[in-house]
Amino acid sequence: MDSLSNLSRADSFIAAGTTSVIYAVDENIVIKIHPSSGSVERQAYDIEIRSYERLGYHERIATCEVTEEGLLLERGTCLRGMLQSVSKSAIPWAMKLQWALEAADGLAYIHTRGIIHADVGCHNIIVDNASHIKFIDFAGSGIDGEAPLVCYEWCSFKPSNEIGIHTDIFAFGSMLFELETERVPYNELERTLEMGKLVTVVERLFSQ
């Protein structure tokens, strides 16, 4: 693996998440850097390690290898990015149906392993080179009833006092809406409302 100094070049940067920064290692692997500061960030990172260890190998979960520098993760194309970058009808309905079924299989497996993802959505699913989908980003997920450190996007959150399987499934429904329409639920409100008001309005609409 390249040294961290080489991975930190601008042309290898992929994304900066809430807990860590991600760089490309090669065309098949990315590295999620071990956070150097922040107790919450380190805790979420440790939860992600525990989650991948608990999940083990499954064809709907991205592969992960733990190193001193960070997590070596399977690389793919973000499903949301793919949906937003192609013209409408460019992705066949048969492919979308395949992805929906694969995502359902993956989420069901995650739940059988005692894990609540807590941020289900097209932004946390990748499409691999064989056009199959895989779940990513378990930083801060809930394991064996532990309260998650993360939460869903505004367009995927079911108003509830407790995050659990039912809220994961609700977010999965929003993911299916986005998969079909290439837009998140109530996307038209995002252009007219500031975030605080947007969350309040969308929670009311979901409750109805």
Side-chain angles (χ1 to χ4, degrees):
M1 186 183 74
D2 293 335
S3 67
L4 181 57
S5 60
N6 287 333
L7 290 172
S8 299
R9 297 174 305 173
D11 60 357
S12 67
F13 173 80
I14 292 182
T18 56
T19 63
S20 188
V21 181
I22 301 173
Y23 297 100
V25 175
D26 56 36
E27 62 182 11
N28 298 310
I29 299 292
V30 299
I31 183 168
K32 192 170 191 177
I33 302 299
H34 190 298
S36 58
S37 62
S39 60
V40 174
E41 288 79 3
R42 290 195 297 270
Q43 186 178 357
Y45 180 86
D46 290 341
I47 289 172
E48 184 155 34
I49 292 176
R50 290 170 53 206
S51 295
Y52 277 114
E53 290 175 343
R54 172 74 67 88
L55 291 166
Y57 173 77
H58 189 275
E59 58 186 357
R60 301 281 73 86
I61 308 296
T63 60
C64 175
E65 178 185 347
V66 182
T67 72
E68 291 185 1
E69 290 182 282
L71 305 181
L72 295 178
L73 298 164
E74 182 176 0
R75 186 175 183 179
T77 303
C78 174
L79 178 56
R80 174 169 292 168
M82 180 176 291
L83 293 172
Q84 293 179 351
S85 65
V86 300
S87 61
K88 287 188 179 297
S89 77
I91 302 175
W93 278 110
M95 180 63 70
K96 288 187 175 184
L97 178 59
Q98 172 191 310
W99 288 343
L101 293 171
E102 289 179 346
D105 179 53
L107 186 60
Y109 173 73
I110 290 167
H111 291 161
T112 66
R113 303 303 294 163
I115 296 173
I116 303 301
H117 190 284
D119 194 12
V120 174
C122 291
H123 60 304
N124 280 329
I125 287 179
I126 60 171
V127 180
D128 67 16
N129 293 333
S131 296
H132 295 290
I133 67 95
K134 298 186 178 184
F135 279 86
I136 59 170
D137 199 356
F138 294 88
S141 294
I143 304 176
D144 292 339
E146 298 173 359
L149 299 182
V150 294
C151 194
Y152 310 91
E153 296 180 297
W154 63 268
C155 55
S156 301
F157 181 62
K158 177 183 180 180
S160 173
N161 293 325
E162 183 178 355
I163 293 177
I165 289 177
H166 65 293
T167 52
D168 260 9
I169 293 174
F170 188 90
F172 175 75
S174 290
M175 190 214 80
L176 293 180
F177 180 96
E178 184 176 357
L179 180 59
E180 178 178 351
T181 67
E182 291 91 32
R183 297 291 184 269
V184 301
Y186 301 115
N187 63 89
E188 68 280 1
L189 298 179
E190 189 176 15
R191 297 188 293 271
T192 60
L193 300 176
E194 55 86 19
M195 183 54 66
K197 181 66 173 178
L198 177 66
V199 170
T200 300
V201 170
V202 171
E203 284 189 357
R204 175 174 54 80
L205 291 169
F206 277 148
S207 295
Q208 294 173 350

